[in-house]
Amino acid sequence: MAHNETTPDEAQFDDLIARDERIEPRDWMPDAYRRTLVRQISQHAHSEIIGMQPEANWITRAPSLKRKAILMAKVQDEAGHGLYLYSAAQTLGATRDDMTEALIAGRARYSSIFNYPTPTWADMGAIGWLVDGAAICNQVPLCRASYGPYARAMVRICKEESFHQRQGFEILLELMRGTPAQQRMAQDAVDRWYWPALQMFGPPDDESPNSAQSMAWNIKRFSNDELRQRFVGMLVPQAEALGVTLPDPELRYDEANGCYAMSPIDWTEFHEVLAGRGPMNAERLRRRREAHENGAWVREAATAYAAKQATATREAA
Ligand SMILES: [Fe+2]
Ligand SMILES: [Fe+2]
């Protein structure tokens, strides 16, 4: 076959993408498409799982029974998100063992945002409002991603993320209606999480090498900078309602080009954290490894039970 001739499989794939339809696990797909999705979905799954830690840190110290119940539900949701996403990656041929091994060995990436510490209760508010808020902006367009299992997982995840964002907003609102010390605590948390949350959208468009291909495959629908603009546009009125200040003196709406002007982002810090030198990287991985080891008996018991059931089914047949 000539080098640049399209095979019937490729033609069908291209056609599905052109018609903005879904690619399903049994469909033919280019290797690079599969690899991109495995990388993106597994990183996303790891982020959900590691993301449980900064908030789990406050479950035993939540200020009331109501807050404890809400926070537990939220952290549990994140575990569920991780599981849907690992399952979506498995439909592409990735194995759960390989993905877990890559994570605990420190070879896999997850969102850098979870490598920051959570020293105060107000961090629970700022994480819900800013981190889950940024996650929503990123993830709503992924509900239309071309890979069916990923898109369907995102639909369910996004519903839960909007509850997460509102619970964060409400924690901050209550603190802002409290004593001056509580207001300062809320503002301090917003100051610490604002810039890392903006970095969650990834590098500026002109430095984002994989974006164009992901857009062509209908995995990504908006550029990093477009999503960042959308996020800031969502935050500005909400910050006003809360009475908190977004820590960017340059931030203003530019009528002429219809975007928010903002101070340059400090990407040096982002790259440091990404390279594993953030304040909490080592601790997050240590904790994940420990949880994996402590869970060994559950995996063994489940495997033994499955084997027993399989034998019983065979004998009955
Ligand atoms: Fe989540
Ligand atoms: Fe969330």
Side-chain angles (χ1 to χ4, degrees):
M1 195 196 330
H3 200 66
N4 46 12
E5 228 170 71
T6 310
T7 66
D9 282 342
E10 277 174 288
Q12 197 195 4
F13 174 86
D14 291 346
D15 188 49
L16 285 170
I17 295 289
R19 286 187 282 128
D20 202 0
E21 287 184 16
R22 299 291 157 267
I23 308 296
E24 295 298 335
R26 288 195 184 87
D27 293 337
W28 182 91
M29 61 189 86
D31 283 344
Y33 177 83
R34 187 185 296 274
R35 275 198 307 274
T36 298
L37 281 165
V38 167
R39 192 190 61 227
Q40 178 170 338
I41 299 173
S42 62
Q43 281 179 14
H44 192 162
H46 298 326
S47 303
E48 301 282 358
I49 298 298
I50 296 286
M52 296 167 74
Q53 293 187 34
E55 288 172 293
N57 180 33
W58 278 92
I59 290 176
T60 55
R61 295 174 290 158
S64 69
L65 186 58
K66 179 183 127 186
R67 291 293 176 198
K68 190 199 278 278
I70 295 172
L71 189 59
M72 275 176 69
K74 200 261 187 198
V75 172
Q76 216 161 40
D77 283 353
E78 306 300 5
H81 298 174
L83 297 186
Y84 307 152
L85 290 162
Y86 282 129
S87 301
Q90 283 172 292
T91 66
L92 291 157
T95 72
R96 185 74 185 276
D97 283 347
D98 285 348
M99 291 186 280
T100 304
E101 182 50 36
L103 177 63
I104 59 182
R107 290 194 313 270
R109 284 206 167 150
Y110 56 85
S111 180
S112 288
I113 194 85
F114 302 117
N115 290 320
Y116 291 90
T118 45
T120 74
W121 171 251
D123 289 312
M124 301 305 97
I127 289 182
W129 184 45
L130 297 170
V131 177
D132 290 275
I136 293 169
C137 285
N138 255 328
Q139 292 171 9
V140 165
L142 289 173
C143 296
R144 295 188 293 122
S146 57
Y147 188 58
Y150 190 31
R152 290 188 289 272
M154 292 320 302
V155 172
R156 184 151 175 193
I157 290 176
C158 284
K159 285 185 190 152
E160 295 177 350
E161 295 300 353
S162 50
F163 153 68
H164 297 172
Q165 206 235 357
R166 269 172 288 176
Q167 66 88 36
F169 180 89
E170 214 243 327
I171 289 174
L172 291 176
L173 189 64
E174 199 162 312
L175 290 172
M176 291 306 290
R177 286 175 177 164
T179 63
Q182 287 172 321
Q183 292 167 359
R184 278 196 302 277
M185 192 199 276
Q187 181 63 56
D188 170 66
V190 170
D191 290 347
R192 282 181 291 108
W193 291 94
Y194 178 75
W195 290 107
L198 288 192
Q199 293 172 347
M200 284 173 70
F201 298 95
D205 294 345
D206 46 13
E207 293 165 32
S208 179
N210 298 327
S211 283
Q213 181 59 75
S214 285
M215 300 261 252
W217 278 330
N218 294 343
I219 297 173
K220 204 173 160 73
R221 302 283 178 164
F222 299 98
S223 76
N224 296 353
D225 288 328
E226 281 170 336
L227 291 168
R228 206 171 353 251
Q229 280 286 328
R230 238 175 221 227
F231 177 55
V232 171
M234 182 184 90
L235 291 184
V236 167
Q238 294 182 1
E240 225 162 273
L242 284 172
V244 297
T245 309
L246 297 175
D248 180 1
E250 303 288 317
L251 183 64
R252 64 184 168 80
Y253 190 67
D254 187 336
E255 293 280 351
N257 56 19
C259 325
Y260 282 92
M262 46 182 109
S263 305
I265 294 178
D266 178 6
W267 293 105
T268 339
E269 184 197 278
F270 175 80
H271 290 299
E272 278 296 292
V273 181
L274 202 63
R277 294 185 287 271
M280 301 296 282
N281 293 56
E283 166 61 16
R284 297 291 182 244
L285 282 187
R286 186 197 65 72
R287 179 77 193 88
R288 180 87 278 286
R289 259 194 302 272
E290 185 186 274
H292 185 69
E293 283 156 19
N294 290 342
W297 71 270
V298 180
R299 292 189 296 279
E300 282 158 20
T303 310
Y305 182 72
K308 201 168 129 190
Q309 291 297 102
T311 314
T313 314
R314 257 199 318 274
E315 278 165 9

